[in-house]
Amino acid sequence: MACARVPLDEQQVTEPGPLGKDRTLPALHPERKEERYFVPYKPLPEDSSAAKAEEFLENTRFITEDLEWLLALPHDKFWCQVVFDESLQRCLDSYLHHAPRGLDIGALPSSPAVAEMQRSVHRMVFLTFLRMATHKESKENFITPVVFGEIIYDNFLFDIPKILDLCMLFGKGNSQLLHKMIENIFTQQPSYYNDLDETVPTVLEVFDTILGRCGLQCEGAVAMEPMKLNAHKQPTAMTMSQQELVDIILYLCDSTTTIHAFLDIFPAACSSFHSHSFLDRLTSFYETAVPDLEKVLRKRNFDDKGLHDDVWKRLSHSCRKMVETAHLVLHHICLQPILEGGENMQSFAEELLQHFTSFLPEKRFLSDYDEQFPIADDISLLQQAFPVIDETRTSYLLEGVQSAWDSVGRRKPQSHNQLRASSAFDGAVAGASSSAGFHEVREPAEGGESLRGAEAMLDVPRKGNNGAVCDVSEAELESLLTCIRDLLPDLGEGFLMACLQEYNYNSELVINNILEDRLAPNLDKLDRAMPRPVKEELPDLLGTRSNVFDDDEFDIFRRDQVDMSRIWKGRRKGENAREMLDDKQHIAEQKARYQSYETVVDVVEVEPGESAASYGLEDYDDEYDDTYDMNQVGANDLDGDSLLNRRPFTVPQVLRKVNKHEEVEEGEDEDEEEESIPNNVNRDQFVQDPALLRERAEARRAAMQQRKGFRPERTSNVAGRPKGQGQTTETFLDRRKKEANKSRGANHNRRNMADRKRNKGMIPS
């Protein structure tokens, strides 16, 4: 095999030839194809017997086993089989052509075994097409993108009809995989875009064919070619046979469902359809064919009631898919760029409005489209994105939508998404500037009655009659009241405010309804001279506030003048950090306070007739030292912790006055005491004898070792035996312990200990 990381189209392989001699061939070569025949797919007949079901199971089992074998082949063998095996392509094409669709009458299998086999072959076909659309399976197995595009295009592995069928058959549940698969095909081979442009006119011919078979006039066909002489002899939908009518509706259902599935999975194709005026042709066909087919199905009698219901279901499904297809194209062509906020948003909005305007003549299509995708929501989106949009145009469109509902004899449902149009202040509002606001939803009108025309556009929720809620500013409200009172000065401001609130602050509509006496019932009950409601005075916030900074020197709410020289932002001008630190003014301010504590004077009041001597003031000497006086002041108090109870007072030896006889006696006593105390230990000695401390420590260690359960520490032996004689387990353990704990002591933490000493002041900085 060839080297890794080389594309398949550049690989060379060496294989034995027919005569046994090795030969070198390209990896993609017809002679490397395996001889295997792939049988074509045959659908199960509707009236299948046991023999037919067994034949279907056997045929489908062959296909499933062959595709499993194909998917298990290596990368090079798989592509040799795909490119050069014509029976494989015939098998895959037969499945795309004959596989049952979701709405087929015979789509439901007759037995569980048939259903399981159908699911199995369905999965194998999808996995085969998925691998055929992948040019890079791994870092080692891949094809050059350009060569891959040429292979699938030149060998017709994929084409536009196949891609349409793939979307129709496998789109449900596999939309993301199909999107990546089709996107890779169009990316690696841009020629498919040209094929798609050439295919769209053929798709549009489906509509002309159906119209021609039903005997309906197609404006597009008349413009392109003259009417045939035998056109008047063609049967209509009412006169054609029942089977032919069913076939036409099945054809319509399959075509519309396939187009919708393709555009839904691959939205990039919407631009190609849009460039061929797809929306215009679709809406025209819908308006012409759908009402006629529905009328025929109502009038014709079907022998089979189930068949009649199925045809009705397919026609309804076709109508829904055509509406959804139109919305898909509008969304990806116009709405999506507006939502993404790209360039030329104004042009996309204008194009969307033009499409909506072109829908107005197609009453049936417009009403069905508005039922599924309310046009009012899209217009509301445009008005939010572009406040300067022409309101006259949007009002005209919304009135046209309502007219379409009326013309088809249907009643537009009142939903919470109903649009409330915002009206601008026109020239009737003196001095007020016109501005468009965002739209709000409205509730259904009382009694379920839907409004018509401008009243439907200006209908707003009922907010009561007190005029407390106001959606405009105070200045705009005063301007509106002045404008109305100039014409109707006898009306009270309270009544006018209620009318303005009811009619969305539209002064023209208020004046018109008052003059024509067409006010709402809740406004007729009001007094027309009602004054403006008195606003409730809110309590003074400053009068009720409470703060810790109240009445300080910076309280601007209670002081008219504040010393601004003491207020500054940031650092003072001309002041640096050194000057701020050298400023000792605060120390001088506190000096006088602490000087008052320097002089302490005891003032004793002397009663008349008594002398100071009676209080002991004349004999008091401040310089007298009473340290060793015998006056035990407070020493004998019963406080439980006195000095006399704890230890009797003893005069220090240096202060004692004794005679020689006492000295001799004390000397003898001291000699006896020294003999009783070993090592002549002086109790008042500051530093004890180190030898004595070592002896005491040794005694403590001996006493601890005599305790029960004591295990002396084993001395570490890391030296071990001489090299070459082997080491004991204890030596290995001691070496491991030393290696693990060598950073605990020694010189490995010199910096930490130095920092510790420096922090304690033991090392000068």
Side-chain angles (χ1 to χ4, degrees):
M1 297 297 294
C3 298
R5 298 185 184 277
V6 177
L8 181 63
D9 50 280
E10 299 179 4
Q11 292 182 13
Q12 301 287 332
V13 295
T14 302
E15 293 181 351
L19 301 178
K21 185 178 180 180
D22 292 343
R23 58 178 180 175
T24 302
L25 297 174
L28 286 176
H29 196 272
E31 296 185 6
R32 301 193 65 219
K33 174 180 69 70
E34 298 290 339
E35 293 297 334
R36 196 180 187 95
Y37 180 75
F38 292 83
V39 297
Y41 175 82
K42 295 180 180 179
L44 183 65
E46 296 180 11
D47 52 347
S48 58
S49 59
K52 293 290 185 180
E54 186 66 26
E55 181 183 358
F56 172 80
L57 290 174
E58 183 179 7
N59 182 76
T60 310
R61 188 180 302 110
F62 288 155
I63 298 176
T64 304
E65 293 175 355
D66 290 341
L67 293 181
E68 288 178 352
W69 169 84
L70 176 68
L71 293 174
L73 290 177
H75 186 251
D76 55 340
K77 288 286 189 177
F78 172 82
W79 278 102
C80 288
Q81 204 73 25
V82 167
V83 174
F84 302 113
D85 193 343
E86 296 181 358
S87 64
L88 172 62
Q89 298 303 320
R90 288 195 296 267
C91 173
L92 297 176
D93 291 347
S94 64
Y95 186 83
L96 295 181
H97 294 164
H98 303 293
R101 270 58 175 172
L103 294 176
D104 285 348
I105 298 177
L108 297 177
S110 57
S111 65
V114 173
E116 181 63 27
M117 186 58 65
Q118 178 63 36
R119 284 193 295 268
S120 178
V121 70
H122 190 78
R123 181 174 180 273
M124 289 296 105
V125 171
F126 177 69
L127 292 178
T128 303
F129 277 109
L130 184 62
R131 189 175 183 184
M132 289 168 54
T134 305
H135 70 282
K136 183 178 182 180
E137 297 182 1
S138 64
K139 294 182 179 180
E140 292 79 15
N141 300 324
F142 64 96
I143 304 176
T144 306
V146 177
V147 178
F148 171 78
E150 296 176 354
I151 290 176
I152 62 175
Y153 190 78
D154 296 339
N155 294 278
F156 297 95
L157 301 184
F158 291 98
D159 52 29
I160 300 302
K162 285 185 180 180
I163 294 175
L164 293 174
D165 288 333
L166 287 173
C167 295
M168 176 63 182
L169 289 173
F170 306 103
K172 187 176 181 180
N174 304 290
S175 58
Q176 294 183 355
L177 283 176
L178 271 176
H179 174 74
K180 294 181 179 179
M181 169 180 164
I182 299 175
E183 186 178 25
N184 186 56
I185 292 173
F186 277 81
T187 301
Q188 307 305 334
Q189 183 53 269
S191 299
Y192 282 107
Y193 283 105
N194 299 330
D195 293 352
L196 180 61
D197 289 334
E198 297 177 359
T199 306
V200 173
T202 306
V203 174
L204 294 176
E205 289 181 3
V206 173
F207 302 145
D208 299 336
T209 302
I210 295 176
L211 291 176
R213 296 288 299 273
C214 294
L216 302 174
Q217 190 125 17
C218 179
E219 297 179 1
V222 173
M224 288 185 294
E225 60 182 10
M227 183 181 297
K228 298 180 180 179
L229 296 177
N230 59 349
H232 62 282
K233 298 181 181 180
Q234 292 183 356
T236 62
M238 194 65 189
T239 59
M240 68 176 57
S241 63
Q242 175 179 316
Q243 185 60 41
E244 190 174 1
L245 177 62
V246 172
D247 291 341
I248 289 177
I249 295 179
L250 294 180
Y251 181 49
L252 173 63
C253 180
D254 183 69
S255 301
T256 54
T257 306
T258 302
I259 295 173
H260 175 266
F262 174 63
L263 295 180
D264 187 27
I265 293 173
F266 189 58
C270 291
S271 58
S272 298
F273 278 77
H274 181 65
S275 61
H276 291 272
S277 302
F278 175 75
L279 288 177
D280 296 337
R281 300 287 297 276
L282 179 65
T283 56
S284 176
F285 169 79
Y286 192 98
E287 190 71 19
T288 305
V290 171
D292 185 75
L293 291 176
E294 288 180 349
K295 182 175 65 174
V296 170
L297 290 180
R298 290 191 186 98
K299 292 183 177 181
R300 294 193 64 158
N301 296 324
F302 282 76
D303 299 334
D304 188 356
K305 180 65 175 177
L307 178 61
H308 181 265
D309 295 340
D310 182 73
V311 173
W312 258 113
K313 181 180 67 174
R314 289 178 179 274
L315 182 58
S316 301
H317 181 78
S318 303
C319 296
R320 184 169 66 253
K321 290 303 176 182
M322 283 189 282
V323 171
E324 292 177 356
T325 302
H327 181 262
L328 271 177
V329 176
L330 285 178
H331 179 78
H332 290 94
I333 295 300
C334 303
L335 286 176
Q336 191 67 28
I338 296 175
L339 295 176
E340 294 176 354
E343 299 179 356
N344 300 326
M345 293 176 56
Q346 187 68 36
S347 61
F348 291 118
E350 180 65 25
E351 185 177 3
L352 181 61
L353 292 177
Q354 289 180 359
H355 283 297
F356 285 156
T357 305
S358 65
F359 292 167
L360 293 180
E362 319 296 345
K363 303 295 184 180
R364 174 60 189 276
F365 174 82
L366 185 59
S367 60
D368 290 348
Y369 182 91
D370 186 66
E371 183 178 8
Q372 294 191 45
F373 309 100
I375 295 178
D377 293 347
D378 295 336
I379 294 180
S380 175
L381 175 65
L382 293 181
Q383 289 178 330
Q384 294 178 26
F386 306 98
V388 296
I389 197 170
D390 187 6
E391 288 224 12
T392 305
R393 187 174 184 182
T394 57
S395 300
Y396 172 74
L397 286 176
L398 293 175
E399 290 178 2
V401 173
Q402 186 62 44
S403 175
W405 281 92
D406 297 339
S407 63
V408 297
R410 298 166 59 188
R411 188 173 185 178
K412 184 177 181 180
Q414 295 286 342
S415 63
H416 291 283
N417 295 328
Q418 183 87 13
L419 182 67
R420 187 186 72 180
S422 61
S423 57
F425 300 108
D426 299 330
V429 182
S433 60
S434 75
S435 60
F438 291 110
H439 299 282
E440 300 178 4
V441 298
R442 61 179 294 268
E443 300 293 339
E446 297 181 1
E449 295 181 1
S450 59
L451 302 178
R452 297 287 187 267
E455 292 181 340
M457 302 305 303
L458 298 170
D459 185 41
V460 294
R462 308 296 189 254
K463 298 182 180 179
N465 52 12
N466 54 4
V469 181
C470 183
D471 294 340
V472 297
S473 64
E474 188 69 22
E476 293 174 341
L477 180 60
E478 293 295 335
S479 177
L480 292 173
L481 291 174
T482 303
C483 176
I484 300 176
R485 286 179 62 85
D486 289 343
L487 297 176
L488 306 170
D490 56 328
L491 300 179
E493 292 186 355
F495 175 75
L496 295 180
M497 289 177 63
C499 294
L500 287 173
Q501 181 182 346
E502 181 72 20
Y503 295 108
N504 196 25
Y505 298 93
N506 189 337
S507 59
E508 289 186 347
L509 192 58
V510 170
I511 295 173
N512 183 62
N513 290 339
I514 291 176
L515 294 177
E516 296 182 1
D517 198 14
R518 293 194 310 173
L519 291 175
N522 57 333
L523 295 178
D524 282 335
K525 299 177 183 179
L526 297 179
D527 182 11
R528 300 205 172 194
M530 182 175 61
R532 176 183 293 192
V534 180
K535 294 184 178 179
E536 298 180 1
E537 294 293 337
L538 298 177
D540 186 13
L541 179 62
L542 298 180
T544 58
R545 67 187 281 270
S546 179
N547 196 281
V548 295
F549 301 107
D550 286 346
D551 298 323
D552 63 358
E553 57 179 325
F554 300 110
D555 190 358
I556 60 175
F557 298 106
R558 289 180 171 82
R559 292 179 180 269
D560 295 334
Q561 295 181 355
V562 179
D563 186 8
M564 300 302 296
S565 63
R566 300 195 57 194
I567 302 175
W568 66 88
K569 182 178 181 181
R571 184 177 298 174
R572 285 184 177 181
K573 296 182 179 180
E575 183 183 65
N576 52 26
R578 178 57 58 185
E579 293 178 357
M580 182 177 64
L581 295 176
D582 293 342
D583 185 9
K584 306 300 181 181
Q585 182 180 359
H586 62 286
I587 298 178
E589 294 175 354
Q590 300 294 332
K591 186 175 182 179
R593 174 181 296 181
Y594 288 100
Q595 282 179 351
S596 62
Y597 296 102
E598 292 182 357
T599 304
V600 179
V601 179
D602 292 338
V603 179
V604 180
E605 296 182 0
V606 180
E607 298 293 337
E610 296 181 359
S611 62
S614 60
Y615 291 93
L617 298 177
E618 294 180 355
D619 298 336
Y620 178 74
D621 185 6
D622 187 60
E623 300 299 333
Y624 174 72
D625 185 10
D626 57 353
T627 304
Y628 298 101
D629 285 353
M630 295 304 294
N631 297 329
Q632 304 292 338
V633 179
N636 294 324
D637 294 343
L638 298 177
D639 54 1
D641 192 20
S642 63
L643 295 175
L644 295 178
N645 295 335
R646 193 169 59 230
R647 179 181 179 184
F649 178 75
T650 304
V651 179
Q653 293 182 4
V654 295
L655 299 179
R656 292 179 184 177
K657 295 180 181 180
V658 296
N659 52 24
K660 294 182 180 180
H661 179 68
E662 292 177 353
E663 290 179 358
V664 173
E665 293 179 355
E666 290 179 359
E668 293 177 357
D669 296 338
E670 289 177 359
D671 292 340
E672 294 176 358
E673 185 178 358
E674 290 175 358
E675 291 177 359
S676 61
I677 299 176
N679 297 331
N680 192 18
V681 177
N682 189 358
R683 295 182 182 274
D684 296 332
Q685 194 173 11
F686 179 72
V687 179
Q688 297 185 11
D689 186 5
L692 181 59
L693 296 177
R694 286 193 295 271
E695 291 179 1
R696 293 178 181 176
E698 185 64 27
R700 287 195 301 270
R701 285 193 294 270
M704 184 176 61
Q705 292 177 3
Q706 291 177 0
R707 296 177 183 175
K708 184 178 180 181
F710 173 76
R711 298 178 60 184
E713 295 184 1
R714 184 175 53 84
T715 58
S716 177
N717 181 19
V718 296
R721 301 174 183 174
K723 188 176 181 180
Q725 298 183 7
Q727 305 297 334
T728 62
T729 305
E730 290 77 5
T731 302
F732 282 116
L733 295 177
D734 292 341
R735 290 178 178 177
R736 182 185 301 174
K737 182 177 180 181
K738 178 181 178 181
E739 178 68 21
N741 300 296
K742 66 180 182 180
S743 62
R744 183 175 59 84
N747 292 328
H748 296 283
N749 56 352
R750 286 177 296 179
R751 178 175 298 175
N752 296 334
M753 297 304 296
D755 294 340
R756 183 178 179 184
K757 291 180 179 181
R758 185 179 293 107
N759 293 336
K760 292 185 176 182
M762 305 173 70
I763 301 177
S765 58

